[in-house]
Amino acid sequence: MKTDLISNDIQLDSSGKLIHLLGLKGLSKNQLTRILDVADNLIDDQGDLKKSKALDDMSVANLFFEPSTRTRNTFEIAAMRSSANVINVDLANSALKKNEDLLDTMHTLQAMQIDMFVIRHKQSGLPHYVAENISNIAILNAGDGINAHPTQALLDMLTIRQHKQNFEHISVAIVGDIVHSRVAHSDIQALKTLGTTDIRLIAPTGLQYHDCNSQCIDNIEIGIKDCDVIIVLRLQKERMLEADIPNEQEYFDNYGLTPERLALAKPDAIVMHPGPINRGVEIDSSVADGNQSVILQQVTNGIAVRMAVMEILAGKS
Amino acid sequence: MKTDLISNDIQLDSSGKLIHLLGLKGLSKNQLTRILDVADNLIDDQGDLKKSKALDDMSVANLFFEPSTRTRNTFEIAAMRSSANVINVDLANSALKKNEDLLDTMHTLQAMQIDMFVIRHKQSGLPHYVAENISNIAILNAGDGINAHPTQALLDMLTIRQHKQNFEHISVAIVGDIVHSRVAHSDIQALKTLGTTDIRLIAPTGLQYHDCNSQCIDNIEIGIKDCDVIIVLRLQKERMLEADIPNEQEYFDNYGLTPERLALAKPDAIVMHPGPINRGVEIDSSVADGNQSVILQQVTNGIAVRMAVMEILAGKS
Amino acid sequence: MKTDLISNDIQLDSSGKLIHLLGLKGLSKNQLTRILDVADNLIDDQGDLKKSKALDDMSVANLFFEPSTRTRNTFEIAAMRSSANVINVDLANSALKKNEDLLDTMHTLQAMQIDMFVIRHKQSGLPHYVAENISNIAILNAGDGINAHPTQALLDMLTIRQHKQNFEHISVAIVGDIVHSRVAHSDIQALKTLGTTDIRLIAPTGLQYHDCNSQCIDNIEIGIKDCDVIIVLRLQKERMLEADIPNEQEYFDNYGLTPERLALAKPDAIVMHPGPINRGVEIDSSVADGNQSVILQQVTNGIAVRMAVMEILAGKS
């Protein structure tokens, strides 16, 4: 399905309560802010995550049709920290060729008294399809095709808020393969909802993404000038040809975030990356490890945000 | 080992107490009824499963020599709902060629203080062999070759009892590859123990199974006439040649449960299937999803029955 | 790295407190004894393991770069028995080619609020490298190359102490591929620290290991004469050529522990093996299952020792 045709309407019930998290499109500023508030409350004064008993009567199933150990682990850890039972259902090699078979599997898991599905799938819109066809179970989108990765965007917003306090008066640069990045698409959506107007999408010509209201720039020096936040995307090697990039060195020469380029941003600009980083490809090691980098704080926030979303969907926060 | 030579005697201790669940042969009506009663008590008035603390000092190991994610998940979920620790020991590719090595592995797990083994193995009688050779640990058979799958039969009995109240005055039709189905074998055993006399085994000539006291019928219209319960088996594609079935369409034409055929049974007949279903092969979608279908209720009952068996074997119920 | 160049200094903080367990070299007799005492307290009078709540606010990650289901299960079970959350991070096939990428993965897991890493890696010294480069997380070495396997040696010491009460006046024979065995290297280290002076290393010429103060012997009958403890090592088949052993039968003929050979040791000598055993290769079945064998007690002690080490590293014991 074309991603701009995918609707998230079903994630709200008739009273406007969040019952699934399919994407950030369609969520109000208040709704996003509430998720960030709940997540913030799960972090103590030392920046450590609290443990929560909120989900101690819940069972969560991780349904990963696309292998991603790292993301699956974050949901597993978040569920455990909220005291839920977690089951990993291995579907990466499953032969669920027909949607009917897929729904049968989902209904079966629901009948086993699983309360929440965390779904990752390479097909855009798949979590929405499941949510439309199964009642009384919460669906949490952990990444669908190139469509959305809402918890990643939420953790990015939480990180920005912790450092910048507001969204209205900041400028945010996103650098890399924006057209194929569900992270970038969800970030743009969230930033706009939260009030950011100065969003700069910095990408080689072949990887540009046209979004009304955001600026497309193919020169990183121009793009990051005086910005407050730089979100560096991971380079997917299979996209390099499409963008006419002959090799990693050339990408680094043209788009890698170096100390020199970072110096063009505001002095207190923060550097973000969804991980795992390719050092020397999209980011220089000294920047990744430098004092403007908040990359590991993003990881911690990722657990807090996932705990928060699970607790909200379960009606426990 | 020929399955009729496999004895379940060892599953009772000298006082008649259940210490393993190897198969249903040899269990009395009272013993089966007690398991169903404990399972029923784990389901609340809304049909939802309760959580139980019964096994909170127990560790259960899932030993699946035959890959079956779905069945393994049911035992994992059941153990977690009873508050046990669960460990999945991956043995699908293990090179335990000699029985001695197998027993060494089992003794080692026992020495790690595992209290219960859930075993699935393609060799009929393997759980019995383990139970004979290891003391002081409960063995739960999760399917051995074509021999038995006792928890599946117990969940089927629980489902029948919830709808029909008695076993003596009902007629039950089992449709499909009966000769190779451990589910069917365990169902027949349980039904006979519980008092059902009208059991109809409906299968193509090549897949028939000769059981004294049950009727073998190769015509589904005749077989399901006026019956109260229809248990549809999953068609295993590798058996089709053996039964002289050229393709799935022909199987459906001759044995698929359609609305027309279902109309031949009693108006309140229930339709059961062990899952996962092959829609359009052994069952029509409208029947699988229709209001006589209790297939998803079977799934929920499967968790309750496995919790019940684990709690009984642990001496906690 | 050559194993004799690997330093464990970093496992103690400036006050001498154990903060990692990388190896036994560098630990004092008091420190080893304390670990054994904590482990002993986790075993009740019947020889069963207690459950502990000590780690109920901790998360432990098993990072196994080398596949070893058996050892991973022991750490998983130990962590669960101490009430920790456990996450298995599958790294056996991970493409962490550069050390930088490895550290990024570790830092990311730490940012997810994992409190302890259990690491197995085929590269000697890898856990030490991680401990040197990451702060504020406990590293537990579960076997690194041919360097060390400290928890295995600790469980061996606990087993010896339970049967022999002292280490000073006993003679210990280790039989097998000593040069390649991290178990043997850690055992020798521990025995020397605890005061054992009569250590006999029995191996074919090609598999001998030269350790100052221990005797190298290529004849098993001479080696085990009048000894108190016999530790039989597992024969790794790929080492047979190196030791000029044409086949398993010849190894058994020359080095297998038979009842006749065992009779040369003291009458109350105990027989140990790290498992899994190759019956009829390094040990005769009647010896493995005989009343001098303490092999399964070693397995139980292995859980107790791992619980103890985790609790000590967490500052909970």
Side-chain angles (χ1 to χ4, degrees), chain C residues 44-65:
Chain C
D44 70 18
D45 294 343
Q46 279 72 46
D48 289 329
L49 293 169
K50 301 177 192 168
K51 272 201 115 173
S52 158
K53 291 277 177 199
L55 304 184
D56 67 355
D57 59 350
M58 299 262 303
S59 298
V60 176
N62 280 322
L63 308 180
F64 275 57
F65 294 86

Side-chain angles (χ1 to χ4, degrees), chain A residues 13 27-28 47 70 96 119 131 171 187 210 220 259 313 316:
Chain A
D13 72 7
L27 296 189
S28 67
R70 182 187 156 112
L96 297 174
I119 300 180
S171 58
D187 275 342
H210 293 285
I220 185 170
L313 293 180
K316 300 298 172 74

Side-chain angles (χ1 to χ4, degrees), chain A:
Chain A
M1 199 192 284
K2 285 206 52 168
T3 58
D4 50 3
L5 298 178
I6 295 174
S7 158
N8 297 329
D9 291 354
I10 196 174
Q11 68 188 338
L12 300 173
D13 72 7
S14 57
S15 70
K17 188 177 160 307
L18 194 71
I19 53 171
H20 306 292
L21 182 68
L22 302 175
L24 300 185
K25 200 168 57 177
L27 296 189
S28 67
K29 182 173 176 178
N30 275 350
Q31 283 165 321
L32 295 188
T33 300
R34 178 162 167 252
I35 298 172
L36 302 185
D37 289 346
V38 173
D40 240 348
N41 273 329
L42 289 163
I43 301 172
D44 69 18
D45 294 343
Q46 279 71 47
D48 290 329
L49 293 168
K50 300 177 192 168
K51 273 201 115 173
S52 158
K53 291 278 178 198
L55 304 184
D56 68 355
D57 59 349
M58 298 260 304
S59 298
V60 175
N62 280 323
L63 308 181
F64 275 57
F65 294 86
E66 199 183 54
S68 172
T69 305
R70 182 187 156 112
T71 302
R72 203 196 62 209
N73 283 343
T74 64
F75 281 98
E76 203 176 346
I77 290 170
M80 290 193 313
R81 268 199 112 77
S82 291
S83 303
N85 284 333
V86 192
I87 189 160
N88 291 314
V89 183
D90 180 18
L91 293 162
N93 303 309
S94 76
L96 297 174
K97 278 166 206 135
K98 291 179 285 185
N99 278 341
E100 267 178 348
D101 293 341
L102 179 81
L103 290 182
D104 281 342
T105 297
M106 302 287 181
H107 277 120
T108 300
L109 285 163
Q110 183 180 32
M112 289 179 194
Q113 218 87 163
I114 301 294
D115 304 289
M116 190 180 295
F117 292 159
V118 177
I119 300 180
R120 172 172 285 219
H121 202 287
K122 67 172 187 289
Q123 187 184 325
S124 298
L126 192 281
H128 308 67
Y129 174 79
V130 175
E132 276 156 24
N133 285 280
I134 302 197
S135 312
N136 297 320
I137 192 154
I139 309 292
L140 214 167
N141 183 358
D144 64 319
I146 61 163
N147 179 46
H149 193 356
T151 56
Q152 177 71 41
L154 286 165
L155 75 89
D156 285 349
M157 296 309 112
L158 181 59
T159 310
I160 293 172
R161 194 174 77 166
Q162 287 164 344
H163 288 275
K164 298 295 161 196
Q165 282 77 44
N166 80 86
F167 290 95
E168 291 80 5
H169 307 298
I170 59 173
S171 58
V172 179
I174 306 179
V175 188
D177 176 8
I178 294 166
V179 69
H180 297 105
S181 168
R182 53 192 174 201
V183 175
H185 303 172
S186 288
D187 275 342
I188 295 167
Q189 182 68 51
L191 286 166
K192 284 158 75 172
T193 303
L194 291 166
T196 304
T197 51
D198 184 358
I199 303 174
R200 306 148 183 203
L201 308 181
I202 304 168
T205 312
L207 299 175
Q208 280 188 1
Y209 173 72
H210 293 285
D211 174 75
C212 48
N213 306 330
S214 303
Q215 313 165 55
C216 298
I217 306 171
D218 66 1
N219 180 303
I220 185 170
E221 277 91 0
I222 296 174
I224 66 178
K225 181 129 181 41
D226 293 326
C227 74
D228 298 280
V229 174
I230 306 170
I231 299 174
V232 182
L233 300 177
R234 178 175 169 82
L235 185 70
Q236 307 290 343
K237 297 189 185 167
E238 61 274 23
R239 304 302 190 190
M240 288 172 59
L241 279 183
E242 208 168 324
D244 203 19
I245 303 165
N247 58 49
E248 296 183 349
Q249 185 60 48
E250 176 156 334
Y251 184 83
F252 185 70
D253 290 345
N254 288 321
Y255 292 97
L257 188 62
T258 59
E260 295 73 28
R261 286 172 176 152
L262 177 56
L264 301 172
K266 288 210 185 122
D268 63 350
I270 56 171
V271 175
M272 299 170 63
H273 188 295
I277 58 178
N278 293 307
R279 291 167 181 268
V281 180
E282 69 259 0
I283 192 165
D284 188 80
S285 269
S286 65
V287 174
D289 302 332
N291 58 19
Q292 288 174 267
S293 167
V294 296
I295 296 175
L296 291 174
Q297 188 181 349
Q298 285 176 276
V299 175
T300 306
N301 285 339
I303 304 295
V305 155
R306 287 169 181 120
M307 291 172 74
V309 170
M310 288 181 184
E311 296 187 6
I312 289 170
L313 293 180
K316 300 298 172 74
S317 275

